[in-house]
Amino acid sequence: AQSVTQLDSHVSVSEGTPVLLRCNYSSSYSPSLFWYVQHPNKGLQLLLKYTSAATLVKGINGFEAEFKKSETSFHLTKPSAHMSDAAEYFCVVTRTNTGNQFYFGTGTSLTVIP
Amino acid sequence: DAGVTQSPTHLIKTRGQQVTLRCSPKSGHDTVSWYQQALGQGPQFIFQYYEEEERQRGNFPDRFSGHQFPNYSSELNVNALLLGDSALYLCASSYSTGRNSPLHFGNGTRLTVT
């Protein structure tokens, strides 16, 4: 079975400081992992994806994530937060060989303080 | 290139009624998935359609049904609405499964059941 745990329900950072959103995964198979962002009253936008290629994945808007198999983690980072980064972030896992069903975490709400 | 479009954007229904939500996938995509997102929660998988057939289903009752048309567009039907069905319903499209294709989401339909 696949699942993800987002370790923080809320994260608050000051503008210009680093962002770290934590995600641990559980998968019986080789996983594919994704991070999505959701702004208020909007759908979800793909930030980045890991599909068993390079373990350090770069995404849009300066975000990146590192796949660490030994720690079963896929944490999302950004060197410098911008006000527009304030949103809900979801970590997602699926099975690499089928990709049929995506399993979402419960989300992390990011607040950026000016 | 149009992304995923959903209609209507908002809907208010009464308990016991039936509702139909519509989705047009991103151009070139042939697979449509539906998700329910309750307030403050991550999206929950309802089902996925490919080649006009339901390929996989999440833990939702039979009151939730769907359809995919030859042009890949899709409908989600919910019968005998309950107050607990109030949520944001998200449609996501992708390429055929097994290719680790990320999901592309629409902005959702906000359903309120009174």
Side-chain angles (χ1 to χ4, degrees):
Chain A
Q2 285 69 241
S3 67
V4 290
T5 301
Q6 293 185 242
L7 300 173
D8 307 290
S9 58
H10 295 91
V11 170
S12 185
V13 301
S14 296
E15 189 176 17
T17 64
V19 176
L20 170 63
L21 305 182
R22 299 182 295 166
C23 172
N24 286 349
Y25 71 90
S26 172
S27 178
S28 304
Y29 303 88
S30 179
S32 290
L33 293 156
F34 307 79
W35 276 98
Y36 281 83
V37 60
Q38 186 177 33
H39 289 92
N41 299 314
K42 294 291 187 182
L44 291 92
Q45 180 185 19
L46 178 69
L47 280 177
L48 48 82
K49 66 176 181 177
Y50 165 78
T51 54
S52 74
T55 56
L56 182 61
V57 182
K58 294 188 184 298
I60 62 171
N61 301 334
F63 284 95
E64 63 181 38
E66 185 172 8
F67 174 73
K68 292 187 176 180
K69 186 175 181 179
S70 61
E71 299 176 10
T72 61
S73 69
F74 190 59
H75 300 335
L76 181 71
T77 61
K78 183 174 180 178
S80 177
H82 191 272
M83 294 299 295
S84 61
D85 294 329
E88 190 82 16
Y89 291 80
F90 292 95
C91 182
V92 184
V93 66
T94 188
R95 280 174 59 172
T96 296
N97 61 333
T98 65
N100 274 342
Q101 186 168 342
F102 283 56
Y103 297 86
F104 282 76
T106 52
T108 297
S109 177
L110 176 65
T111 299
V112 182
I113 302 167
Chain B
D1 181 18
V4 179
T5 58
Q6 292 186 243
S7 63
T9 55
H10 294 83
L11 206 51
I12 300 174
K13 290 286 188 178
T14 304
R15 268 183 307 176
Q17 287 188 315
Q18 178 265 344
V19 67
T20 297
L21 311 181
R22 295 177 175 82
C23 171
S24 293
K26 180 179 170 67
S27 178
H29 286 181
D30 57 7
T31 302
V32 173
S33 303
W34 286 92
Y35 287 79
Q36 180 195 65
Q37 186 178 20
L39 201 60
Q41 302 294 317
Q44 299 293 314
F45 176 73
I46 303 175
F47 42 54
Q48 183 182 79
Y49 276 85
Y50 171 66
E51 291 188 339
E52 303 179 48
E53 292 195 357
E54 183 182 292
R55 289 200 51 140
Q56 193 164 356
R57 188 180 184 91
N59 189 25
F60 278 80
D62 292 345
R63 298 186 298 108
F64 290 77
S65 63
H67 189 77
Q68 186 180 34
F69 299 94
N71 66 353
Y72 306 121
S73 67
S74 178
E75 289 182 349
L76 164 65
N77 301 292
V78 186
N79 294 323
L81 284 167
L82 304 174
L83 295 178
D85 295 331
S86 295
L88 180 68
Y89 288 84
L90 295 164
C91 171
S93 71
S94 57
Y95 294 113
S96 305
T97 56
R99 295 169 54 181
N100 303 312
S101 172
L103 300 175
H104 293 253
F105 285 86
N107 286 335
T109 294
R110 173 73 64 185
L111 172 64
T112 302
V113 182
T114 62

